[in-house]
Amino acid sequence: MSTKWDVRVLAAAGAGMMGLAGVFLWRDLQVPHELLLAVAAVLASALALAEVPRHRPLVGPIALLLTGLSGGLWYAATKSGLLLTGLGLTVLASAVTVARTWRHTGTREDKVQACLLWYGLAAAVLASSWAFYFHFFTLGFAADDLGRRLVLTLGWLAAGVGLVVYGRLRGESVIRDAGFAFIAVALGKALAYDTTHLSGTLRVACFAGAGALMLGGAWLSTPRTARSA
């Protein structure tokens, strides 16, 4: 009898029993559905760190990317504060996974994995930062302060410029591209939202700050020899 068959049967049966235990535990304790996002983040991180399947470990990174995107959309639809835990765990799981599994080799499989890891981290940070901002700033202590609208725009832009500069210094295009994702979202918010929801000095400060960050990033990205010429 094949050993592989024995392992598969035992593993499938064990996973099934654990799944049933989780279902009944969840139902009997009446755990809020929003906490499923936290469970999904932990499971996705475990899959990514385990690097399954070994020959093409993309399941975990894809799961993390989808968890970040779905968590952001879920919060946008419900505005439930319980989702903040799951979103925070998604960012943490994505960051840990990038630190532990990201490779610098040039194979096609590793490049695809790197793109999924970094884009997943970017999606998680964008979604969670917006959710935390909306919960604590828009609905919280800064509800009447229009200046709060600068926080996300300039914060995302600073993160994007930092990643672009760091990616260029390291020669890692995937980090640079993740940075440009932050920049694109920040500029989109500035042009589509801030221009109509800010006025006076706040609007000037928004675009002046954005311009300064972009110019600073351009200067830092310029090779030293070109700067000193």
Side-chain angles (χ1 to χ4, degrees), residues 42-210:
V42 173
L43 292 177
S45 179
L47 287 172
L49 292 173
E51 297 188 272
V52 291
R54 286 291 179 181
H55 65 284
R56 194 175 177 83
L58 302 181
V59 175
I62 291 174
L64 280 173
L65 175 60
L66 293 177
T67 301
L69 292 174
S70 60
L73 292 174
W74 193 351
Y75 183 84
T78 64
K79 305 298 189 299
S80 173
L82 292 174
L83 290 170
L84 297 179
T85 300
L87 287 167
L89 280 176
T90 304
V91 173
L92 179 61
S94 298
V96 170
T97 303
V98 167
R100 294 291 300 274
T101 64
W102 175 44
R103 300 183 182 88
H104 304 271
T105 58
T107 64
R108 182 176 180 275
E109 290 77 10
D110 286 343
K111 287 181 178 179
V112 173
Q113 183 191 29
C115 287
L116 289 171
L117 287 172
W118 279 98
Y119 292 158
L121 178 59
V125 172
L126 286 168
S128 62
S129 59
W130 174 77
F132 275 86
Y133 160 83
F134 189 86
H135 185 81
F136 291 105
F137 283 73
T138 303
L139 301 180
F141 64 89
D144 298 324
D145 186 1
L146 294 181
R148 72 176 189 277
R149 292 171 178 162
L150 299 177
V151 173
L152 279 185
T153 304
L154 298 182
W156 286 343
L157 196 56
V161 170
L163 286 174
V164 169
V165 173
Y166 180 71
R168 287 185 60 84
L169 291 175
R170 293 287 301 271
E172 296 289 350
S173 60
V174 66
I175 301 178
R176 181 200 63 199
D177 293 343
F180 276 119
F182 277 95
I183 292 174
V185 173
L187 292 181
K189 178 180 179 295
L191 295 174
Y193 183 85
D194 294 338
T195 52
T196 58
H197 290 75
L198 292 175
S199 61
T201 56
L202 286 177
R203 183 158 53 189
V204 173
C206 176
F207 286 96

